[in-house]
Amino acid sequence: MTSSALPASHTDNTPGVAARPLSRTLARMLSLDDFEAAARRRLPRPIFGYVAGAAEDNQSLQDNRRAFAQYGFTPRVLVDVSQRTQRTELFGHQYAAPFGIAPMGISALSAYRGDVVLARAAQDANIPAILSGTSLIPLEDVIQQAPATWFQAYLPGDPAKIDALVTRARNAGYETLVLTVDIPVSANRENNVRTGFSTPLKPSLRLAWDGLTRPRWLAGTFLRTLLAHGMPHFENSFATRGAPIVSASVLRDFSARDHLSWEHVARIRRQWRGPLIIKGILHPQDAALARQHGVDGVIVSNHGGRQLDGAISPLRALPGVVDAAGGMTVMMDSGVRRGGDVLKALALGARFVFVGRPFNYAAAVGGQAGVAHAIKLLQAEVDRNMAMLGINSVQEMHTGLLWRDAPVRP
């Protein structure tokens, strides 16, 4: 498959769908960052603030981008790159690109049926999407719409609750389970408070005004959801339905995670027969422990800068984690915005990367078509960079194609 035949950005060539022109709004989206600016105009300030915000002083959020900028490419030339392909095998599945959609909580407040929108766009493009445990649409509904979706769980250190949620996900048909482990306590997200977002979501004059001044979101997302599905609930934190997003009891759904330990990972491993992935690894010793506990893969992540402010960027942590992982599959997220970022992560040892916020913004701006367009933009960037780097497959990326002020460790 030659990926140089990727569609131009002004058309929509979703597989199985006749090519059609993009809307004027989507035609103006030339990069993933363009979706953020458009989403800021589309979404109420508290909702946008929740998605965009990070923890405390945003040190980790900002360093996630700086880390990519510290690497340059050293391309090879006069290489026949006419047969280049982005195909990547992961856990026995051939994906069309080396990136997927990261889990994002409450995305159904950004776009109508946001979790379904993200999952269906990913499946159409043959890339993985991970459904968040803090999503507002039942996991059974999402996998019915997109059977290849992965499920991410936030689990308390309670064996009974762990067993019940793992059983629910397995019975629903999920094959890949992602356990996120970097949230023993809730982060200090001052940015959320400053923009008017809270958990539970509290009705306020600011929220009402923001909704009234953004009629497309008010009618197309919020009121449409209320009319068709009622007040959103946290659906997938446990085996049973969680509290409504406006209920004070929501806080109980996010407690007791400080008990979670490697003993619980061993318990989950005994129950889960499919791929088991741990997300939130930054320390090499934790990667080694994951391998010892029979985990199939890890996602190197600092939660997009949303948890421990000052935590090392995943790109910086990646080489050490890869060394400690042995043959275990290593992936990463946090800060990926360009095709060049994807390739830099692959060169440093990642097998795959995941992208979060930009796809949420794309869903807010254009629904499923917006997410499909964002995927194609990133695929096109990867393809162009591969050609200019002189490689025909993403597996050919290596540290010899990178440069830093100090030599890149092979």
Side-chain angles (χ1 to χ4, degrees), residues 49 67 69 75 80 149 158 179 190 196 236 278 291 296 313 354 357 372:
D80 181 352
T149 306
D158 181 327
L179 175 62
E190 299 166 3
N236 304 313
I278 291 185
R291 177 166 50 85
D296 298 291
S313 73
F354 287 90
R357 289 180 178 96

Side-chain angles (χ1 to χ4, degrees), residues 85-97:
T85 175
Q86 298 180 39
R87 288 200 168 273
T88 303
E89 183 174 339
L90 199 62
F91 307 120
H93 187 97
Q94 284 280 342
Y95 290 107

